[in-house]
Amino acid sequence: MTALTLSTAGAATLRADALVVGVAKSPKGGKGLVVAPGAEAVDKAFDGKLATVLETLGASGSEGEVTKVPSPSGLKAPVVLAVGLGSAPEKDEAYDAEALRRAAGCAARALSGVKKAAFALPVEAVEDAEAIAEGALLGAYAFTAYQEKGKDAKGPLAEVALLGGKPRDKAYKAAAERAVALAEEINRARDLINTPPNDLYPESFAAIATAAGKEHGIKVQVLDEKALVKGGYGGILGVGQGSEHAPRLVKLSYTHPKAEKTLALVGKGITYDSGGISLKPAGHNETMKCDMSGAAAVFAAVVTAARLGLEVNVTGWLALAENMPSGSAVRPGDVLRMYSGKTVEVLNTDAEGRLVLADALTRASEENPDAIVDVATLTGAMVLALGNRTFGIMANDDAFRTSIHEIAEEVGEQSWPMPLPADLRKGMDSPTADIANMGERMGGGLVAGLFLKEFVGEGITWAHLDIAGPAYNEGGPFGYTPKGGTGSAVRTLVKLAERTAAGDLG
């Protein structure tokens, strides 16, 4: 993991292997590049012509653009990396935190293999420092566990020195500690998502959660297949019965003695989704190791809450199973008796996530938390609706849905509130069971949300995050987002826990 230090040193005097500065497009009506605050000493070393030099090299200040130039005399770092911030803010306005976060991420990724980089990006408030730190630590991420480490292999940027960070200021220190804890747990979630399914399966995931619980004072309970059978968890068992790797339900309990509220988080943890008997076609199953991204997000959020010592009780439920076809697999037409006692007719075995979540939602409801949020790579329909970078939010309470949307926007995660139309419920009526696991094809993401709503306890505030789009990035990296597992929804869940601790559940 990349190290983070706060520094009061000047950009010209700090010894580092690279110096990161920000550049932007001129505000409306202006022309050319603008050197962002924090880089004044660097511009001076270029005789006030840093923008001109960069423009000569083709730099435009566009968001995510990276330009490297050799340092002139007067700077201790041998290389200056200018990263684009997009349009410069108008007079008396500051750079957006998300723009700083993305720029820092781009710079950190471009500096892989470098030992130490000094970041001289605009810091006008503690929130700016935290955004830069968070972006740099997330942008430096690389998953190399399965690659041979030859002499030419580049590791991630080893150290980020954040200039303007005020290391003796309590607020800045707390912001840096939060950024480190959050980034480390998001990167742990990314590692889990990227781990091949022959190594990450329900039992091994449960073991990782158990080890983390011991390290961070989180109580962990693991229900194995025998306990699941005894408890009547028909949804989780039904999905997992076709695999050699038996399912698990993992409960992570973080408690604080001063907590007045309890938040329950439920994560879909299908460690590999073949579709089961309703087999996915070629071209749709190669990345299905990522179908446990919801459980990874919940796991990361609970551990982060514990590391930050938040004054809120947070319980995480990881519904873990592997969905495989075999002679023992659940079949289309089978009826499962769920933990709630309801029966479900399985019309499509590839609509398995809602089955494991249903059992976990019912179990979580028994503890009567103040709110439940489930997170899942649940439907392709949500990707069709919102694209690859935005997750959908559904809820049984409009104010809670709005609150989560606002939180997601605040922390830089793209999201959009979605409805739960009552008329779509009829499509899940079954002549055989209480409900079917499929309904109308159009609006499939909303149908899945309506199915889950059936298993939430009466009177409990609940929200569902469908992260099928942003959970796994199959394209090139951008901002602080890598190729592969992204850790989507972790920052939203952690901020929700912080707001809940502050007495603002939404």
Side-chain angles (χ1 to χ4, degrees):
M1 178 72 184
T2 302
L4 174 69
T5 57
L6 302 180
S7 177
T8 56
T13 58
L14 183 68
R15 292 189 180 276
D17 300 294
L19 181 58
V20 177
V21 299
V23 292
K25 296 179 179 181
S26 294
K28 294 178 181 178
K31 292 184 178 180
L33 280 180
V34 174
V35 177
E40 293 85 356
V42 181
D43 191 31
K44 183 178 180 181
F46 279 88
D47 296 325
K49 298 179 179 179
L50 176 57
T52 302
V53 171
L54 292 170
E55 283 182 311
T56 301
L57 294 173
S60 66
S62 297
E63 184 178 305
E65 181 183 73
V66 170
T67 308
K68 292 181 182 179
V69 294
S71 297
S73 59
L75 298 179
K76 297 292 186 182
V79 175
V80 172
L81 185 150
V83 61
L85 292 165
S87 296
E90 298 293 332
K91 187 178 180 181
D92 298 327
E93 293 183 4
Y95 281 91
D96 178 69
E98 179 64 6
L100 295 175
R101 193 181 287 116
R102 291 178 180 177
C106 288
R109 184 170 53 256
L111 293 170
S112 61
V114 171
K115 289 184 178 180
K116 181 178 181 179
F119 281 64
L121 295 172
V123 176
E124 296 186 15
V126 66
E127 292 80 11
D128 298 333
E130 183 173 350
I132 294 167
E134 191 178 298
L137 295 174
L138 292 174
Y141 172 82
F143 184 68
T144 59
Y146 291 82
Q147 297 173 357
E148 187 176 355
K149 295 174 175 61
K151 62 180 180 179
D152 297 326
K154 288 184 178 181
L157 171 62
E159 181 184 349
V160 170
L162 179 54
L163 306 187
K166 302 180 183 179
R168 295 183 180 179
D169 185 292
K170 288 184 178 180
Y172 280 83
K173 285 177 67 176
E177 290 170 359
R178 182 186 186 278
V180 169
L182 183 60
E184 285 183 351
E185 296 312 321
I186 290 174
N187 287 340
R188 193 210 299 253
R190 291 170 170 179
D191 282 347
L192 288 168
I193 297 164
N194 290 327
T195 298
N198 56 316
D199 283 342
L200 188 74
Y201 41 89
E203 185 179 3
S204 61
F205 196 153
I208 291 169
T210 299
K214 290 180 180 178
E215 181 181 357
H216 298 291
I218 300 167
K219 184 179 179 181
V220 181
Q221 179 186 11
V222 179
L223 298 186
D224 61 14
E225 61 269 39
K226 292 182 180 179
L228 292 171
V229 170
K230 184 177 180 180
Y233 293 86
I236 297 174
L237 287 165
V239 173
Q241 71 187 43
S243 173
E244 292 184 358
H245 296 297
R248 296 286 188 272
L249 178 61
V250 179
K251 178 186 178 183
L252 299 144
S253 302
Y254 162 69
T255 57
H256 192 284
K258 295 183 180 180
E260 296 182 356
K261 298 285 186 179
T262 296
L263 189 63
L265 309 176
V266 177
K268 172 188 172 184
I270 304 300
T271 56
Y272 181 75
D273 182 18
S274 69
I277 298 296
S278 306
L279 193 67
K280 293 179 185 290
H284 292 77
N285 56 18
E286 291 82 357
T287 61
M288 282 299 101
K289 64 182 181 181
C290 78
D291 214 20
M292 37 59 67
S293 296
V298 166
F299 172 45
V302 175
V303 175
T304 304
R307 292 181 61 171
L308 297 178
L310 301 184
E311 293 184 10
V312 58
N313 297 328
V314 184
T315 305
W317 300 88
L318 315 182
L320 307 177
E322 186 177 64
N323 187 23
M324 295 292 285
S326 72
S328 61
V330 67
R331 296 157 292 241
D334 282 356
V335 173
L336 303 177
R337 186 170 296 278
M338 311 296 282
Y339 180 73
S340 67
K342 287 185 179 181
T343 55
V344 176
E345 183 180 10
V346 179
L347 298 181
N348 187 327
T349 66
D350 196 22
E352 84 299 328
R354 63 199 71 183
L355 298 174
V356 300
L357 286 172
D359 275 355
L361 285 168
T362 303
R363 179 64 187 87
S365 297
E366 289 181 340
E367 301 192 355
N368 199 31
D370 294 284
I372 299 176
V373 180
D374 77 71
V375 189
T377 47
L378 204 60
T379 65
M382 196 57 62
V383 185
L384 290 173
L386 299 178
N388 291 319
R389 297 189 182 184
T390 304
F391 62 76
I393 308 170
M394 285 153 269
N396 61 3
D397 181 282
D398 288 349
F400 190 50
R401 182 184 63 187
T402 298
S403 179
I404 291 178
H405 176 53
E406 291 173 349
I407 287 170
E409 294 298 303
E410 178 185 341
V411 301
E413 295 199 296
Q414 294 174 222
S415 67
W416 197 251
M418 302 293 282
L420 288 172
D423 58 284
L424 290 177
R425 169 61 182 85
K426 184 172 179 58
M428 290 184 285
D429 285 350
S430 165
T432 308
D434 295 320
I435 190 172
N437 77 328
M438 293 290 289
E440 294 183 30
R441 182 165 177 250
M442 299 303 166
L446 312 182
V447 170
L450 286 165
F451 179 91
L452 296 177
K453 184 182 177 183
E454 297 272 328
F455 296 88
V456 177
E458 190 71 29
I460 298 176
T461 301
W462 158 80
H464 161 57
L465 311 186
D466 190 337
I467 61 170
Y472 195 85
N473 175 26
E474 294 187 60
F478 59 92
Y480 48 83
T481 302
K483 185 178 178 67
T486 65
S488 176
V490 176
R491 288 179 292 149
T492 298
L493 296 178
V494 171
K495 179 59 72 171
L496 175 63
E498 289 173 326
R499 280 200 181 183
T500 304
D504 181 18
L505 184 54

